[in-house]
Amino acid sequence: MARGEGRPEGTTALEALMGRRLGRECLYTPSCRLALYVALRHWCRPGGRVLMSPVNDDVIFFVVLAAGLRPVQAPLDPIDGSIDVAAVPEETWRGLSAVVTTNLYGNPDPVAALRERCDTAGIPLIEDAAHAIGSRLPDGRAVGTVGDAAAFSLSKHVGAKTGGFLAFAEPGLRAELTALRDALLKPAASASEALYAVRPYAEAGVRGLRLVRAAHLALRLLGAEERQEIRMPLRAGELRRAIAAAPGLDPFESWVRVDMHPYRIAPGGVRLRRTARLLGDLDRRLALHRAGTAALLRSRWGSGHGEPDAGDTGGTRAQPLFRVPLLVSDRDAAIAALARRRITVGYLYDPPLDVYAADGSTADDSAAFTDPSPLPRPAAWFARHALPVNPCRADEVLRVLDGLPITPVRPPAALARDGAAEGSGGGG
């Protein structure tokens, strides 16, 4: 994909396939994070304020900052981590330039209510649908079809380890959005294509031989695993200098590229052919995720999430979640036990972004990088107790959890919107 090419050869078919699924125009991008950046740069002027979830990947936090925007952390529902629309203060709504949803793990945010508030305020709604390529709203619409734009990932359900889409409502915007994307791309490199071609075999080989350290080393060489902890180091001093140079991706490159160095490298034939093959298999993959989600929600561990639905043969109203966030009393014990069975728990977002972003700030500068949530306790409780497990391994996960001296938990009643203390309930 060379700079300046309107519809590069090899991506047109992918865009058409995704467009048919959504009923919207779709623009291929090398990653979801680049798609989100393009959307923010197009729909938001630098200096604006963007409402987002504090329980989110820190990469997305840095994407918002790179676009020259100030993150504003939203209050959350502690059951599923979705934005609590009614708890957003009126004064916050009056100062926003946009809202970015998360659809955390595939659970849809209340997008209809968000759409109504955005329309009233005259601001765009941008859907981050990275985890939700197969999820649907209560009225049957697909996640990603309500906002002005939506960013999708092909690294999650599709499993391509590369690629994404920017879906948008107005077809007339294609030329402008394509030009913006192309201006951000870096040229394809033969070494990057070669690494991508061998990556699936390298990962499978070292893990199949249980060479765990070798696996981590291989992933780090591929730019696919860099974190030592759940959150990457904030580096507050460097971040202040990057913010002063925003908007632009280059000052934020060391943060935005984490776990995906080729996030804005134009794809070559190897990537596009593999992506097309995997995207064609999406419906089968979604069916596996939906079945596993239903099994987890039927269990005692999913008691806080599912709703009975006699019309669903699975017994619950289940989305094809990318990960199912089971709420448990001792997440560390669960992670350790699952690891002993070679079941990796990833996509943890703890602590919430407003706590994370305060790291390294002085007492007089604690809100240097973001507006904190007006009600931080529900997000903190969810971030601490959520155990996001792969629904495609539901049976194995349930066998492990059922053998542990831990329990499912529900948010304590003290997590009300009045900001009362959490209390001692819920396995706190």
Side-chain angles (χ1 to χ4, degrees):
M1 186 187 298
R3 292 173 184 259
E5 293 181 350
R7 300 192 72 172
E9 184 178 358
T11 65
T12 304
L14 292 172
E15 292 170 347
L17 179 59
M18 191 65 176
R20 286 193 295 272
R21 296 186 70 94
L22 295 176
R24 283 196 162 192
E25 288 286 312
C26 290
L27 178 70
Y28 180 88
T29 59
S31 64
C32 179
R33 62 190 72 177
L34 185 67
L36 183 59
Y37 181 79
V38 170
L40 292 170
R41 289 302 311 274
H42 176 82
W43 272 277
C44 302
R45 291 184 178 183
R49 300 160 66 82
V50 176
L51 187 73
M52 63 180 295
S53 168
V55 181
N56 199 343
D57 193 337
D58 40 28
V59 166
I60 302 305
F61 177 73
F62 293 111
V63 168
V64 173
L65 291 172
L69 302 164
R70 182 171 178 82
V72 177
Q73 304 304 324
L76 300 185
D77 182 334
I79 287 289
D80 61 9
S82 63
I83 293 177
D84 187 345
V85 182
V88 179
E90 287 300 319
E91 58 268 26
T92 298
W93 286 113
R94 288 193 290 270
L96 294 178
S97 299
V99 173
V100 175
T101 66
T102 300
N103 302 296
L104 187 62
Y105 304 127
N107 282 310
D109 276 300
V111 71
L114 288 168
R115 175 82 270 181
E116 182 178 353
R117 291 305 307 248
C118 287
D119 288 345
T120 298
I123 60 175
L125 174 64
I126 299 171
E127 299 178 71
D128 182 346
H131 292 177
I133 197 169
S135 296
R136 293 194 171 271
L137 305 175
D139 62 8
R141 286 180 295 177
V143 168
T145 63
V146 179
D148 298 85
F152 286 88
S153 172
L154 298 179
S155 296
K156 307 296 189 297
H157 291 80
V158 176
K161 308 291 187 183
T162 186
F165 290 107
L166 177 62
F168 48 99
E170 299 181 35
L173 294 176
R174 172 171 284 279
E176 187 175 350
L177 293 171
T178 299
L180 179 54
R181 176 203 64 185
D182 289 353
L184 297 166
L185 294 179
K186 294 183 176 181
S190 57
S192 177
E193 284 291 290
L195 283 171
Y196 178 78
V198 303
R199 174 177 173 172
Y201 307 103
E203 292 181 17
V206 293
R207 285 183 171 141
L209 294 171
R210 300 192 179 189
L211 301 177
V212 177
R213 291 183 180 177
H216 288 308
L217 176 60
L219 289 174
R220 281 195 291 272
L221 291 173
L222 291 164
E225 185 175 279
E226 299 178 89
R227 303 171 191 267
Q228 300 301 312
E229 305 292 340
I230 293 174
R231 297 292 193 190
M232 73 177 85
L234 184 74
R235 309 197 313 273
E238 294 177 49
L239 184 56
R240 289 188 183 91
R241 293 190 290 273
I243 290 172
L249 283 173
D250 289 344
F252 291 86
E253 189 77 4
S254 63
W255 293 281
V256 176
R257 74 177 188 176
V258 164
D259 299 333
M260 186 180 280
H261 284 202
Y263 80 97
R264 58 169 167 155
I265 291 180
V270 173
R271 292 177 190 268
L272 293 176
R273 286 190 294 273
R274 184 167 183 263
T275 299
R277 175 174 58 82
L278 292 171
L279 185 58
D281 192 42
L282 177 58
D283 287 331
R284 183 188 67 83
R285 287 172 172 258
L286 290 176
L288 294 175
H289 280 260
R290 185 176 291 107
T293 299
L296 289 165
L297 297 186
R298 284 196 303 269
S299 75
R300 69 187 183 99
W301 299 97
S303 59
H305 294 282
E307 294 181 31
D309 183 0
D312 188 319
T313 56
T316 56
R317 186 179 296 115
Q319 302 277 6
L321 297 187
F322 173 60
R323 294 291 183 266
V324 180
L326 306 178
L327 301 176
V328 300
S329 59
D330 188 341
R331 185 179 62 201
D332 291 344
I335 290 174
L338 289 166
R340 289 193 290 271
R341 294 291 297 272
R342 302 176 67 198
I343 300 173
T344 301
V345 175
Y347 301 95
L348 296 166
Y349 305 125
D350 186 20
L353 290 172
D354 40 7
V355 177
Y356 163 71
D359 182 38
S361 298
T362 66
D364 296 330
D365 196 25
S366 60
F369 308 122
T370 185
D371 285 11
S373 169
L375 293 175
R377 292 182 181 274
W381 188 91
F382 179 87
R384 185 168 66 251
H385 290 286
L387 178 75
V389 297
N390 185 347
C392 296
R393 303 189 71 176
D395 291 344
E396 299 169 83
V397 167
L398 291 174
R399 281 196 294 271
V400 172
L401 294 183
D402 286 340
L404 296 177
I406 65 174
T407 61
V409 293
R410 290 185 62 85
L415 291 185
R417 291 176 185 161
D418 62 4
E422 287 185 20
S424 59

